[in-house]
């Protein structure tokens, strides 16, 4: 079986990136950007510093800009008007797919 880092990379490369690209999100590194008619949104993946060869956890950080800020080309998660963080681990996500 592949180690946890390989499963994470595969999840991002083979599942999340194609799905989010199809939905109109643009990727730069571990961050995805979406500019819509009513605003701007970001998603970023953040691996846990405590990952091991057999266990991989990560956070999905999301943010939404207020429509008045939608004219910006892109921003960071920290400058979003509304932010959330969710925890997951690679094996939990893979089981749900």
């Amino acid at each position: 079986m592949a180690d946890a880092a390989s499963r994470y990379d595969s999840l991002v490369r083979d599942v999340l990136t194609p799905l989010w690209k199809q939905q109109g999100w643009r990727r730069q590194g571990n961050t995805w950007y979406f500019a819509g008619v009513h605003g701007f949104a970001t998603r970023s993946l953040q691996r846990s510093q405590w990952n091991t060869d057999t266990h991989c956890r990560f956070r999905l950080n999301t943010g939404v800009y207020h429509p008045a800020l939608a004219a910006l080309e892109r921003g960071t998660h920290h400058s979003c008007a509304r932010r959330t963080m969710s925890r997951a681990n690679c094996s939990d996500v893979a089981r749900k797919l």
Side-chain angles (χ1 to χ4, degrees):
M1 170 154 295
D3 67 346
S6 296
R7 288 194 312 264
Y8 171 85
D9 292 340
S10 178
L11 173 69
V12 172
R13 179 186 63 245
D14 301 334
V15 179
L16 297 178
T17 298
L19 175 66
W20 291 346
K21 184 176 182 179
Q22 183 181 30
Q23 295 172 348
W25 292 81
R26 292 186 341 233
R27 181 178 181 185
Q28 184 175 8
N30 286 330
T31 304
W32 287 259
Y33 301 94
F34 183 85
V37 175
H38 300 291
F40 197 90
T42 64
R43 291 176 175 166
S44 65
L45 295 175
Q46 177 183 0
R47 290 191 207 198
S48 170
Q49 65 180 344
W50 306 110
N51 285 345
T52 66
D53 288 341
T54 58
H55 189 76
C56 176
R57 289 175 44 164
F58 62 93
R59 290 183 187 264
L60 171 63
N61 303 312
T62 61
V64 178
Y65 282 103
H66 185 273
L69 299 175
L72 295 174
E73 182 177 338
R74 69 171 177 252
T76 64
H77 171 74
H78 298 288
S79 60
C80 289
R82 177 81 172 142
R83 296 181 284 186
T84 61
M85 284 193 232
S86 301
R87 273 193 220 175
N89 76 46
C90 294
S91 56
D92 288 345
V93 173
R95 278 194 292 268
K96 293 177 182 178
L97 296 175

